[in-house]
Amino acid sequence: MTVASATALLARAHGRMLRHKLRFGMRQNKLLSLTVGGFLVLYALAAYFLVARGLDFIVKLPLIGGLLTGRMVFLLFFFFFVMLVISNATITGMGLFRRRDMEWQVALPLPPRSLVLWKTLEGMLLASWGLLVLSAPILAALTRGYQEDAAFILAAIPALLCLVTIAANISTWVLILLVRYSRRWMWKPLIVGLMLFFAFTVPAWNANLQTLNSGDLTGSLNQILRHTEICMHPLLPSAWVAETIQAAGRGMGERSLFFNLVLVANAAFSIVITAWVASTQFQPAWHRVMSAAPSAGGGTTQPQFSRAPSRVGRWLRSALSLDRPSYALLVKEVRTFLREPVQWGQTAIIFGLLLMYSTNLRKLGYDLQSPFWLTIVSHLNLLVCCLALSTLTTRFIYPQFSLEGRRMWILGLSPVPLHRVLGLKLRLSAGVLGLLMVALVTVSGFSLALPVKRVFYFCLAILMLSYGLTALALSLGALMPNFKEANPARIVSGFGGTVCLIGSFVYILAGTIVLILPSWSYLRPDVVGTPTYDWRFELASLGGLALLTMVFGGVPYFFAKKRTKNLEYLRDL
């Protein structure tokens, strides 16, 4: 069997499985399908309207409108490319080295190249459909901005597909080579290097921010353009896509065709390199993963249990008022999180970026002495934190129950009942996320020089939103589990994950509207003076947010807890 025929066989088999799942899901969940479809349509319309209005505003800027528009296109596809590489590496890594079906697929008489090629294609499909959904209204808005017709779309779609293909193959190369050659001692020099990099770049960044805030339009524009030159590097595939789109928008058909052909050639060549890497590096990487010692106990494979908890463990148990089985369950959750570099790595990146953003809010260039801009920036900061939190809860909290898989019967027979397991997961996840988000909101509040009472207002709001978003994700994951799937990306990509994302977005939007009501009188640019807030209105706003939290977090949690009490999960295993 050739590599092409084996890959096609795997694709047909998984394609039939996917079609059956979609048909079954649409038959059994018609209301859910209509809800998801309606939300996607509303998103497309809203994104098209907002992007079109923004492009109209930028294009009309005198002298620099066209330059900024072109640079934004380069930046957009550069970040799309980086996101695709990271997400494809995560999903492909789960499929190649963490899935149970790979153990018997490797034993089948199939070439290793076909397995790697299929997993690369599968990861590309799972990671890229979101990009296509996100980029469709943006491309439509660009078509309107460039005043082009369907020929613009016909030139842009092949470029996007090639970008997706190149990103998926690059992530496979990086993943296999990391698994094959990475060693534990390499991470310490890497962390030190990153710390030194940030130590030297942050002062230069602050100096550049002072230039941006100086009021010199020419100097500010030069700083912005100089710091975005990396996205225009001629060897980046995202730059080729941006060149294709700009050439098509300006009516330069030959240039657009040239860059499309460049993308097609490089996409095909990336597949050839993936096949070569798979044939030479996959088997040693797979052998290294499978031969890894289950314990570091010097030859024995028997698990070693601690008979007595440590002093810190006893203090935590007494502080959290937990019995020993509940504390053991929390320890298990923490160790599982720390053993997953995908989880703590993405979480660290998101919170690191949010911390850098929060500490530099005052350097954004807005007149924060104006009540209008102070109100806008403070509430938008809360919205950004909530959206980042919803990303974490949907990505990591929602699949927690499903990832227990066929080991759920162990929890069912443990001294901790399943409904209490649900409560312990909520306490741990919401407590940690709530503390982190409160710290971020506090830092951003003092960065904006908000009054202490106002900072406390936002801290209470983000704490309730943290518990509400965590309860929503955890409860929906318990109500709609998928114990047959070991890949969290697949679990999140299902109907339940989509509903969780939609519910989180609606909850955040409603909560933001309720929280901004006490500041409604300052949402006018002509307002002057120091903003003052009536504590009664703020208390009523927090009460409204508490009611929303009970609706979006408490009600699903009630039904999830009720379901876990009758052990129906054991029937679904």
Side-chain angles (χ1 to χ4, degrees), residues 178 230 246 374 471:
L178 276 177
I230 186 175
Q246 292 203 51
L374 187 62

Side-chain angles (χ1 to χ4, degrees), residues 148 276 531:
E148 288 293 326
W276 176 78

Side-chain angles (χ1 to χ4, degrees), residues 203-245:
W205 187 24
N206 290 332
N208 294 330
L209 286 172
Q210 294 176 2
T211 304
L212 291 175
N213 297 330
S214 63
D216 184 6
L217 179 60
T218 304
S220 300
L221 182 62
N222 288 333
Q223 290 288 347
I224 293 174
L225 296 180
R226 185 168 65 87
H227 286 290
T228 56
E229 287 179 354
I230 186 175
C231 66
M232 299 182 64
H233 196 281
L235 296 181
L236 285 174
S238 59
W240 305 337
V241 177
E243 291 282 2
T244 301
I245 290 176

Side-chain angles (χ1 to χ4, degrees), residues 124-406:
M124 181 181 72
L125 294 175
L126 288 174
S128 305
W129 71 269
L131 172 65
L132 298 178
V133 172
L134 288 173
S135 59
I138 297 176
L139 287 177
L142 287 173
T143 305
R144 177 179 176 274
Y146 283 119
Q147 297 181 353
E148 288 293 326
D149 51 10
F152 176 83
I153 300 294
L154 294 177
I157 289 178
L160 274 177
L161 294 177
C162 292
L163 179 69
V164 166
T165 304
I166 294 173
N169 285 280
I170 289 177
S171 64
T172 302
W173 311 340
V174 174
L175 173 69
I176 294 179
L177 293 178
L178 276 177
V179 174
R180 175 69 177 88
Y181 295 106
S182 66
R183 297 296 183 269
R184 186 172 297 179
W185 61 266
M186 296 180 181
W187 295 105
K188 294 182 180 179
L190 179 62
I191 294 174
V192 173
L194 289 176
M195 294 174 63
L196 292 175
F197 172 77
F198 283 112
F200 284 106
T201 55
V202 168
W205 187 24
N206 290 332
N208 294 330
L209 286 172
Q210 294 176 2
T211 304
L212 291 175
N213 297 330
S214 63
D216 184 6
L217 179 60
T218 304
S220 300
L221 182 62
N222 288 333
Q223 290 288 347
I224 293 174
L225 296 180
R226 185 168 65 87
H227 286 290
T228 56
E229 287 179 354
I230 186 175
C231 66
M232 299 182 64
H233 196 281
L235 296 181
L236 285 174
S238 59
W240 305 337
V241 177
E243 291 282 2
T244 301
I245 290 176
Q246 292 203 51
R250 295 168 183 169
M252 304 167 63
E254 294 182 355
R255 185 176 177 84
S256 175
L257 178 62
F258 169 76
F259 279 103
N260 256 320
L261 292 177
V262 170
L263 284 164
V264 170
N266 281 273
F269 186 58
S270 67
I271 297 175
V272 174
I273 296 179
T274 301
W276 176 78
V277 171
S279 60
T280 58
Q281 303 295 328
F282 174 68
Q283 287 287 5
W286 174 262
H287 182 266
R288 185 186 177 196
V289 171
M290 293 296 104
S291 61
S295 65
T300 178
T301 60
Q302 295 295 328
Q304 301 295 324
F305 298 100
S306 177
R307 294 187 177 274
S310 62
R311 182 178 302 176
V312 177
R314 290 194 298 269
W315 180 82
L316 285 175
R317 279 179 52 188
S318 61
L320 298 175
S321 301
L322 296 174
D323 54 7
R324 188 169 183 178
S326 300
Y327 177 74
L329 181 64
L330 290 186
V331 171
K332 170 253 182 189
E333 294 290 334
V334 173
R335 289 180 177 176
T336 302
F337 177 79
L338 294 177
R339 290 169 182 172
E340 293 288 344
V342 173
Q343 293 192 20
W344 58 258
Q346 294 185 24
T347 305
I349 290 174
I350 291 176
F351 278 106
L353 293 175
L354 284 176
L355 182 61
M356 293 177 60
Y357 153 79
S358 300
T359 54
N360 290 277
L361 276 175
R362 200 159 188 84
K363 301 176 182 179
L364 291 177
Y366 297 102
D367 183 16
L368 295 180
Q369 301 300 323
S370 169
F372 171 75
W373 283 114
L374 187 62
T375 302
I376 289 294
V377 172
S378 60
H379 283 276
L380 283 181
N381 170 64
L382 182 67
L383 178 62
V384 168
C385 292
C386 291
L387 291 175
L389 180 61
S390 69
T391 302
L392 291 175
T393 55
T394 305
R395 177 65 179 82
F396 298 122
I397 305 299
Y398 172 80
Q400 277 192 5
F401 254 77
S402 298
L403 289 178
E404 298 292 346
R406 300 186 181 277

